[in-house]
Amino acid sequence: MASRMRIVVLGSGRIGGYYGALLAKAGHEVSFVARGAHLEAMQQRGLTVRTPEDESTIPVTAVGDTKTVGTADLVLFCVKSYDTEPAAQALAPLMAGETAVVTLQNGVDNVEAIASVVGSEAVLAGSVYVALQLVSPGVVLRTGGEGRMVFGEVSGALTERVQRIAGAFQQSGVPHQVSTDINRVL
């Protein structure tokens, strides 16, 4: 059993909501950072994930501000690319010596934008291949198969932290692959 991680999901829509829910269901301490109606729905009703196989709603910790959650072991950075800069500024209160930030965004410039705020050693890059929709506030729908996430150190190194994160994904039922050439994947 992988050790319990403190995880913050920054951008809790389709991708962040889906993967965050899987991690929370498996017993990790997950805080979702969101805004607007989606934030309110998660605070009031929890987060619902619908898949072709089933539907489940879990109570979640949902906040509008990163200053209220403390430091994290892992941050899943899932905001839209155009929100990268302001969202990166919100990372500061989450960062501790060992905090890893995994960006699961489209585009190749996000790693640099995030690294400019938290330092390049904290950032891992990732890509997601799964059909997800935010169908209404607090409700994420996966329409196809389980899909997968590919992530890794920007340097390509197979580090202990990559293995620790992969262990948390494994234990949470997150289909994933560790890449030693994530820049080519992106």
Side-chain angles (χ1 to χ4, degrees):
M1 166 88 178
S3 60
R4 190 166 186 248
M5 293 182 90
R6 282 183 48 95
I7 300 168
V8 175
V9 177
L10 196 55
S12 300
R14 301 170 309 137
I15 291 167
Y18 179 69
Y19 289 119
L22 291 175
L23 290 157
K25 248 168 113 169
H28 293 281
E29 186 183 331
V30 181
S31 297
F32 294 84
V33 179
R35 54 188 180 208
H38 188 50
L39 171 61
E40 286 173 36
M42 288 194 294
Q43 288 172 330
Q44 291 165 11
R45 298 188 298 276
L47 180 59
T48 299
V49 175
R50 292 183 188 143
T51 68
E53 299 81 44
D54 68 352
E55 174 174 323
S56 62
T57 301
I58 55 166
V60 295
T61 301
V63 300
D65 186 347
T66 55
K67 292 184 191 78
T68 62
V69 287
T71 60
D73 299 315
L74 172 64
V75 177
L76 293 183
F77 196 93
C78 305
V79 302
K80 298 261 189 269
S81 286
Y82 55 77
D83 280 332
T84 297
E85 306 259 342
Q89 298 299 327
L91 285 169
L94 307 175
M95 302 304 291
E98 296 292 304
T99 304
V101 178
V102 177
T103 168
L104 297 175
Q105 301 169 280
N106 295 328
V108 289
D109 301 329
N110 299 314
V111 169
E112 285 167 33
I114 298 164
S116 71
V117 177
V118 299
S120 57
E121 66 287 340
V123 186
L124 289 84
S127 192
V128 173
Y129 307 92
V130 62
L132 297 166
Q133 296 172 327
L134 187 61
V135 288
S136 62
V139 183
V140 176
L141 170 67
R142 190 190 84 218
T143 51
E146 283 189 328
R148 69 187 166 104
M149 172 197 303
V150 180
F151 78 103
E153 296 280 359
V154 176
S155 69
L158 195 56
T159 59
E160 190 265 333
R161 74 171 172 180
V162 162
Q163 292 170 322
R164 194 171 62 244
I165 295 165
F169 290 158
Q170 179 81 39
Q171 177 231 339
S172 303
V174 173
H176 66 282
Q177 181 184 335
V178 173
S179 173
T180 53
D181 191 2
I182 194 66
N183 295 311
R184 187 181 57 76
V185 171
L186 297 178

